[in-house]
Amino acid sequence: MAPATAPSTTAPSTAAPSAATHSASAPTSKQLRAQVWESVMAFDEAATVAALLRALDDGTNAEDLLLDVIAAVQGRVGREWAANRITVAQEHAATAINDRAVAAVALHPSARTEPTRGRVTVACVDGEWHALPARLLAEVLRVRGWRVDYLGAQVPAPHLVAHLHRTGPDAVALSGSLATRLPAAHATITACQAVGTPVIVGGAAFGPEGRYARLLGADAWAPDARAAAEALARGPLPRPRPGHQAVDDLPHLDDQEYTLVARSRPRLVRAVFHQLENAYPAMRAYTEAQRERTAEDLSHIVEFLAAALYTGDEELFRGFLLWTAGVLDARGVPAASLLPALELLERELQDFPRTTATLRAGAAGLTRTLLTAAGTAE
């Protein structure tokens, strides 16, 4: 149920390299997106790369190809998976092709830029496997003249900090797609700042308009790779506050509800699964695959509940439930099937006032959405 899918200061203009030599006969970004989509969905890596390299030879800007074509196609891959129009295997294959397409574009002579700016480390939050947004940012920064250390997916904070000690970058660009990784992101942000390195963050994990970036004390937030590159080019990020601790940002964590719920996830999943079986005997006839999928769904619910408790934002949990409802509906599973699980979780966690309030708010929001959908259908 985890969602499938950003980001020395003396430098030249912050604009992307000029595409003045762009051929009048070269395809538009829209045409290229359609062409690349077709080749990616045919699992034709050679055709995908060939189309992109022809566009570069015709004078298309490398940054435009990275963001307006490859990133756009990858975004569509995620939406098609959520809508159940492609399988997990197709999504993985498409992502792999897009990743190699990024490498091909980055190695083209027109994309090779001598570093003239400072140094940036680009990494994903520990536990974050959606690496393509960070990879795209790394290549955009290279095109714009930065020296970039791209560390890839799921980078533990101690290893990242050790790298900062060795290299002394001007900034860390930290990417996260899943809100369940926000506690790890917070620890990483604080650890980087403790050694004097400012952090710019991006990705869906940080919420609409970067609300969780501010909450977790990041030095800057960007909605996409272009905005991140422009923010870095405007000048040095503000230096981190000395002596800042993660606990300073989230005083509501004193109630220990986040810690207790997060640590109890395996027990909660087992308890709720067992109670669902008792309440709905038909579950006992589930295949092993169905049982595993149900347990995974329950685990994701508890993970996002914990993330909402960590941030103190009930909307995070409501948003996850509505997204999940859409994914289930696309697969022919009634979204209302989430409600009994939420009720049982509330019963298990009845001694935790913030937790039960979050569960009730989530269930109420889901119920309103289901009733609205039913009324529209009538």
Side-chain angles (χ1 to χ4, degrees):
M1 277 172 49
T5 62
S8 160
T9 53
T10 303
S13 167
T14 62
S18 171
T21 59
H22 187 76
S23 168
S25 62
T28 64
S29 291
K30 182 178 180 180
Q31 291 169 328
L32 271 172
R33 281 195 298 271
Q35 185 178 355
V36 169
W37 172 258
E38 292 299 325
S39 61
V40 165
M41 284 295 99
F43 309 134
D44 193 338
E45 180 181 338
T48 300
V49 171
L52 295 167
L53 295 184
R54 279 196 303 271
L56 287 169
D57 290 339
D58 287 340
T60 302
N61 183 280
E63 181 176 310
D64 292 343
L65 284 184
L66 290 168
L67 302 182
D68 299 334
V69 179
I70 299 174
V73 167
Q74 183 64 23
R76 184 177 174 185
V77 168
R79 293 190 297 274
E80 293 293 298
W81 172 84
N84 202 31
R85 290 190 285 264
I86 64 173
T87 66
V88 171
Q90 288 174 302
E91 183 271 329
H92 284 189
T95 301
I97 291 172
N98 283 330
D99 187 65
R100 289 191 288 271
V102 171
V105 170
L107 291 172
H108 191 272
S110 68
R112 305 298 292 274
T113 305
E114 195 68 27
T116 56
R117 302 179 186 266
R119 186 170 190 164
V120 179
T121 295
V122 178
C124 291
V125 175
D126 192 6
E128 178 61 71
W129 288 99
H130 297 85
L132 194 56
R135 177 74 185 279
L136 288 161
L137 173 60
E139 300 307 338
V140 167
L141 291 175
R142 286 192 180 109
V143 167
R144 293 191 180 210
W146 291 88
R147 182 178 179 186
V148 178
D149 300 324
Y150 171 64
L151 305 189
Q154 76 139 17
V155 182
H159 297 288
L160 176 55
V161 169
H163 179 79
L164 303 184
H165 280 298
R166 285 194 300 270
T167 60
D170 298 283
V172 168
L174 192 65
S175 176
S177 297
L178 297 177
T180 54
R181 307 299 180 231
L182 286 174
H186 194 193
T188 301
I189 291 167
T190 305
C192 293
Q193 292 171 334
V195 297
T197 308
V199 182
I200 182 171
V201 300
F206 295 98
E209 303 301 318
R211 70 170 69 173
Y212 306 129
R214 292 185 291 275
L215 182 71
L216 303 185
D219 300 290
W221 167 80
D224 54 48
R226 281 196 179 95
E230 289 162 7
L232 289 167
R234 280 194 292 270
L237 294 179
R239 305 310 298 178
R241 293 168 285 169
H244 172 239
Q245 299 293 321
V247 294
D248 299 334
D249 301 316
L250 304 173
H252 59 264
L253 294 182
D254 286 344
D255 63 15
Q256 295 295 303
E257 290 197 27
Y258 158 74
T259 301
L260 292 169
V261 169
R263 290 178 178 174
S264 300
R265 178 163 59 92
R267 181 192 66 78
L268 289 169
V269 170
R270 287 193 300 270
V272 172
F273 191 101
H274 179 67
Q275 292 173 55
L276 285 172
E277 276 190 317
N278 289 336
Y280 303 96
M283 281 184 60
R284 296 171 190 167
Y286 276 12
T287 65
E288 191 60 32
Q290 287 174 314
R291 294 175 67 84
E292 288 178 3
R293 180 61 58 83
T294 301
E296 287 174 2
D297 290 350
L298 291 173
S299 184
H300 288 313
I301 289 172
V302 178
E303 283 185 303
F304 276 88
L305 173 63
L309 294 173
Y310 190 86
T311 59
D313 187 357
E314 294 177 352
E315 184 56 37
L316 189 158
F317 188 61
R318 280 198 297 267
F320 161 74
L321 290 176
L322 296 181
W323 178 87
T324 302
V327 171
L328 292 176
D329 184 65
R331 286 153 178 78
V333 179
S337 64
L338 292 168
L339 294 172
L342 297 178
E343 183 179 346
L344 291 170
L345 268 175
E346 183 182 339
R347 192 179 304 168
E348 287 289 320
L349 296 165
Q350 59 186 314
D351 294 330
F352 301 159
R354 237 177 8 104
T355 303
T356 54
T358 301
L359 285 164
R360 288 171 187 164
L366 178 59
T367 301
R368 284 194 300 271
T369 299
L370 295 175
L371 290 174
T372 299
T376 301
E378 293 173 1

